[in-house]
Amino acid sequence: MLRRPAPVPSASPAERGFTGVEERIDRWAHARLRALGDRGWRTSALELVVFVLKQAWACLFGALMLALLLAARFWYPDDAALARDDALTLAAVVLQVLMLLTRLETAREMRVVGLFHVVGTVMEVFKTSAGSWAYAADGVLRIGDVPLYSGFMYAAVGSYLVRTFRIFDLRFDRWPRRRVTALLATAVYANFFTHHWLPDVRWALVAAVLLVLGRTVMHYRVHARTWRMPVVVGFVLVASAIWVAENVATYADAWLYPSQADGWHLVSLSKLGSWFLLMLISVVLVAWVYRPQPPDARVPTVGSGRRAAEETGDRDPLTAPVLDAHDG
C-alpha cells in the first residue's frame, strides 16, 4: 500500500550528476508519466521499469567484467601469445579508463573504486596463500598467485555502490555514528584474515551488523517517488546478487574454490554470510565520498550550479510527490 508522507527535498538530475544515459532514462520516464496522467497501477509499473533500468545501468562495470570473464573462458585461444589472465587485466584497465573518459564514473567516485581495488587485492593475496581459493598459474601481470584483474572484481562492487548512491539519491534514517560503522567494518575485515588462526566470529559480526544497522532505513528515489527499505534488507539483496555473480565467475574459471577442483558446482550458500559482511565494509568505503544524509537534507550528491538551478526550477509537478512504500 502506498501512503503519502511529508514532502522530502530531493536533488535534481543535474545536482545528482546524471550522465547522458541516465538523463535520457529520466526524460523518457517523465514523458510517460505525463502521458499516463494518473497515479494508478500503470504509474507504479513505470516506476518498476525505471528502477530496473537504473539498477542495470549501475551494474554496468560489473556486468561488463562478467562478460569479459565468460568471453575469455569460451573464446580466448589457448595458444595465444598473451596469457588469458594478462589479457583480462589489460581489458579491465581499458574498461576502467573508458568509464572515466565517458564520465560514467567521476574522479571523485574513482577514489572509492581504487580503494576497493586495493582492499580486495590485499585480501586476495592473503586468501590464495592460505588456500581459500586458487587462480590458474597464467600470465605475468599478477602479485604472487593473484592475477591483477581480481582487484577489478572488487572495484565492480564499489562502482555499483557509488553509482547507486548518486543515481537513486540515497538518504538514511537513523544512520549510526561513522566511527561505530568504521570500527565494525575494521573488525569484519580483520576476521577475514584472523579466522585462519583464531576462532571465526563472522556470525557474531553478522549479529553486530544487525544490531548497529537494524533500525536504519534507506530512502531511494526512483523517479517520481521515493521508497523506503531497511538497510539490512538491501545488504541481503546485494549480497545475493554478488553470490550469483560469483557463480558465473567460477563457472568461467576466473578462480575456483577447493571443493570445485574436481568439477564446477554452485558456490556454497554459506558464502552469503561473507558477502553480507562485505557490504558493511563497502558502505563504509563509499561513505568516505558520499556521507550518509538524512531524508530531509537538501544535499546535492555531485554538485550544483546554474544548470542545476534551472532544472530544479523547471521541474514538472508530476515529479514532485514523494511516496512511501509499506506492506499492508
Side-chain angles (χ1 to χ4, degrees):
M1 174 180 175
L2 296 174
R3 296 192 298 185
R4 188 189 304 273
V8 175
S10 181
S12 71
E15 290 174 320
R16 288 152 72 182
F18 274 14
T19 64
V21 173
E22 293 152 13
E23 287 185 350
R24 283 194 288 274
I25 293 173
D26 254 34
R27 284 199 299 268
W28 171 82
H30 183 70
R32 293 300 306 150
L33 193 62
R34 289 177 63 89
L36 292 175
D38 60 41
R39 304 291 180 184
W41 67 269
R42 290 178 298 176
T43 304
S44 297
L46 176 64
E47 285 280 309
L48 178 60
V49 170
V50 175
F51 176 80
V52 172
L53 288 173
K54 288 185 175 181
Q55 281 287 337
W57 185 242
C59 292
L60 179 64
F61 186 81
L64 290 175
M65 276 298 301
L66 286 179
L68 285 174
L69 293 176
L70 288 171
R73 166 71 170 82
F74 292 109
W75 296 303
Y76 196 78
D78 292 335
D79 58 351
L82 183 64
R84 188 192 77 151
D85 285 0
D86 289 348
L88 280 170
T89 298
L90 294 176
V93 171
V94 170
L95 180 59
Q96 186 67 83
V97 170
L98 287 175
M99 292 282 287
L100 280 173
L101 292 179
T102 56
R103 298 184 180 180
L104 300 183
E105 282 179 356
T106 66
R108 185 182 181 209
E109 292 169 345
M110 187 59 198
R111 294 186 314 194
V112 176
V113 172
L115 192 55
F116 270 82
H117 200 296
V118 172
V119 169
T121 300
V122 169
M123 187 161 64
E124 287 284 326
V125 170
F126 175 82
K127 286 291 191 178
T128 53
S129 66
S132 297
W133 54 79
Y135 292 90
D138 189 16
V140 297
L141 299 178
R142 54 200 307 116
I143 299 175
D145 297 325
V146 180
L148 294 183
Y149 74 77
S150 66
F152 287 95
M153 293 184 286
Y154 291 89
V157 177
S159 175
Y160 166 76
L161 288 175
V162 293
R163 299 179 80 201
T164 297
F165 259 73
R166 175 173 55 79
I167 293 171
F168 290 97
D169 194 19
L170 297 189
R171 312 292 179 90
F172 300 89
D173 267 332
R174 296 183 292 275
W175 187 264
R177 291 180 179 273
R178 295 177 78 187
R179 77 181 115 188
V180 173
T181 55
L183 287 172
L184 184 54
T186 301
V188 168
Y189 190 65
N191 187 69
F192 283 127
F193 297 85
T194 60
H195 80 84
H196 289 278
W197 308 288
L198 302 174
D200 188 353
V201 294
R202 75 182 62 190
W203 296 113
L205 290 169
V206 168
V209 172
L210 293 175
L211 179 64
V212 170
L213 291 170
R215 297 175 61 248
T216 305
V217 176
M218 174 176 65
H219 296 244
Y220 58 101
R221 185 176 180 86
V222 177
H223 179 62
R225 300 172 180 174
T226 294
W227 304 81
R228 297 199 310 175
M229 176 189 295
V231 164
V232 293
V233 173
F235 279 18
V236 171
L237 293 175
V238 178
S240 299
I242 295 175
W243 179 81
V244 172
E246 181 182 35
N247 278 285
V248 174
T250 53
Y251 180 73
D253 285 340
W255 73 89
L256 290 175
Y257 291 104
S259 63
Q260 295 173 319
D262 296 328
W264 182 86
H265 56 78
L266 287 176
V267 176
S268 170
L269 284 171
S270 65
K271 284 292 180 181
L272 284 172
S274 297
W275 293 125
F276 178 86
L277 290 173
L278 178 68
M279 288 309 303
L280 177 69
I281 298 174
S282 301
V283 170
V284 168
L285 292 179
V286 172
W288 179 45
V289 169
Y290 295 124
R291 185 168 185 168
Q293 299 292 336
D296 58 353
R298 177 71 187 205
V299 180
T301 305
V302 174
S304 58
R306 185 175 63 183
R307 181 183 172 206
E310 289 172 352
E311 291 200 13
T312 304
D314 291 341
R315 188 184 309 163
D316 191 280
L318 281 174
T319 63
V322 177
L323 300 182
D324 185 11
H326 294 275
D327 292 330

